[in-house]
Amino acid sequence: MAKADILPATPNAIAHAAKLLRAGQLVAFPTETVYGLGGDATNDGAVAAIFAAKDRPRFNPLIVHVPSLSEAEGLAAFDQRARIAAQHFWPGPLTLVLRRRDDCGVSLLASAGLATIAVRVPVHPVAQALLRATGRPLAAPSANRSGRVSPTEASHVAAELGERIALILDGGSCAVGLESTVLDLTGATPTLLRPGGVTMEALTALLGPIAVGDSDPDAPRSPGQLASHYAPRLPLRMAATAPQPGEALLAFGPHPVSGFVETLNLSAKRDVTEAAANLFAMLRRLDRPDFTGIAVMPIPDSGLGRAINDRLRRAAAARP
Ligand code: TXA
Ligand code: MG
């Protein structure tokens, strides 16, 4: 395939993208979290093409995106608790795992054969406009090769998937910078399957106690929990307090540890929201063969810091 067009997300470009999607093609588009690789969720061929473009294992199900709660109710069974969560956090960076409706029309491949479906209503205006123009639910994993760092700029998508997809809609940098929180509401207690853009603190305030999903690496309930994931090519080391030869530093706070060959600061003012927005783009910038590894300073494990540390732990995990 020729290299994907990258178009600024104007109304014309969005209309063109919607036409491609309705014809079963793949389009990458911005959301408030990360860029998604979109395909018509009701089209088996399009969903299969998403797995192929990402080299994604077929057992790892996709999130289905819709423009509002009312469309989501056509795909999944919402009880009172799910409706409260949706009304509070949608549109926004929360994905709900719910029982799939038999008549939802979504390809079984998108759910990887599970009886559940992951649904999300993004707040980004380009994602909203594209969903409404397409008039179909869009399956959209992050627009990176499986296991690698998620894209937060159109150029990242081009580098990862440029030869494999038709079009990239450019909507600038993603404001949140980390993927959505994945919350399973199929059991008695809400279960966090992936920390993300909506914090544990905010979920607990609304829903009460939240369980944290098991991450049995052989049978992940949410394969984003696979031990090695979100990984740069270089080895990554957390909680660094001193340099090792040739390492680059991802700093946090006003006093970066000195002695590294290169330093980027996630947030000089110790703001985890700013750090989340910078994380993936800075990891990419430091992921260069002229360094021996990437060291990261300690980051507080609360609010968005929990999701940052989750991604860093997976990036640091031993590679298969
Ligand atoms: O922020 C996001 O969620 C982005 C943007 C594009 O919306 N999308 C995203 O998709 O991160 P992806 O495919 O990279 O991650 C989806 C996560 C995976 O960990 C997957 O295993 C989990 O959601 N998931 C999807 N369907 C599921 C289901 N039925 N049950 C449990 N986990 C599910
Ligand atoms: Mg992903």
Side-chain angles (χ1 to χ4, degrees):
M1 193 182 239
K3 240 185 158 15
D5 289 324
I6 305 182
L7 297 177
T10 60
N12 275 343
I14 290 169
H16 174 53
K19 200 177 293 173
L20 292 173
L21 287 163
R22 281 197 302 272
Q25 302 227 48
L26 305 186
V27 173
F29 63 96
T31 80
E32 69 278 19
T33 57
V34 299
Y35 275 75
L37 173 59
D40 177 354
T42 66
N43 179 330
D44 288 324
V47 175
I50 291 175
F51 282 94
K54 286 186 54 108
D55 299 320
R56 180 173 175 117
R58 300 292 169 118
F59 62 76
N60 190 355
L62 306 178
I63 297 173
V64 179
H65 298 65
V66 288
S68 76
L69 173 57
S70 67
E71 281 89 355
E73 296 208 50
L75 306 182
F78 279 74
D79 58 11
Q80 195 53 21
R81 183 180 61 180
R83 215 164 275 124
I84 287 170
Q87 278 161 354
H88 197 271
F89 292 110
W90 283 354
L94 178 68
T95 294
L96 297 178
V97 173
L98 299 167
R99 259 188 316 105
R100 182 187 154 103
R101 282 177 58 143
D102 292 336
D103 60 353
C104 69
V106 169
S107 167
L108 279 167
L109 201 52
S111 290
L114 300 171
T116 55
I117 187 167
V119 281
R120 161 159 134 76
V121 175
V123 70
H124 195 293
V126 173
Q128 277 285 332
L130 184 65
L131 287 164
R132 290 179 196 278
T134 308
R136 311 255 170 92
L138 294 179
S142 51
N144 50 279
R145 304 274 176 113
S146 184
R148 308 225 71 99
V149 178
S150 296
T152 55
E153 295 173 14
S155 64
H156 301 163
V157 182
E160 294 265 335
L161 299 171
E163 262 93 45
R164 300 183 174 197
I165 61 179
L167 173 64
I168 301 167
L169 286 177
D170 188 347
S173 299
C174 301
V176 178
L178 290 174
E179 300 82 352
S180 62
T181 301
V182 180
L183 186 69
D184 184 341
L185 290 182
T186 59
T189 307
T191 303
L192 182 77
L193 297 182
R194 178 177 73 181
V198 168
T199 63
M200 230 352 206
E201 291 86 342
L203 289 174
T204 307
L206 186 75
L207 299 172
I210 312 275
V212 176
D214 57 315
S215 51
D216 176 351
D218 295 324
R221 285 174 74 184
S222 198
Q225 294 182 323
L226 291 171
S228 172
H229 215 88
Y230 311 103
R233 289 181 174 77
L234 287 179
L236 185 138
R237 189 164 70 84
M238 293 178 72
T241 51
Q244 287 181 4
E247 266 184 337
L249 178 70
L250 209 46
F252 181 76
H255 306 295
V257 181
S258 58
F260 288 85
V261 290
E262 169 92 281
T263 295
L264 295 177
N265 201 332
L266 289 167
S267 175
K269 55 178 198 250
R270 294 187 63 80
D271 174 353
V272 285
T273 304
E274 180 182 48
N278 284 330
L279 178 66
F280 289 152
M282 287 186 174
L283 273 179
R284 272 174 199 275
R285 279 166 59 195
L286 294 181
D287 194 16
R288 297 209 311 260
D290 24 337
F291 306 133
T292 57
I294 302 172
V296 190
M297 285 174 66
I299 293 170
D301 205 36
S302 59
L304 280 181
R306 180 192 295 267
I308 294 174
N309 284 320
D310 170 80
R311 302 307 187 272
L312 289 172
R313 265 194 302 278
R314 291 176 208 290
R319 315 293 158 80

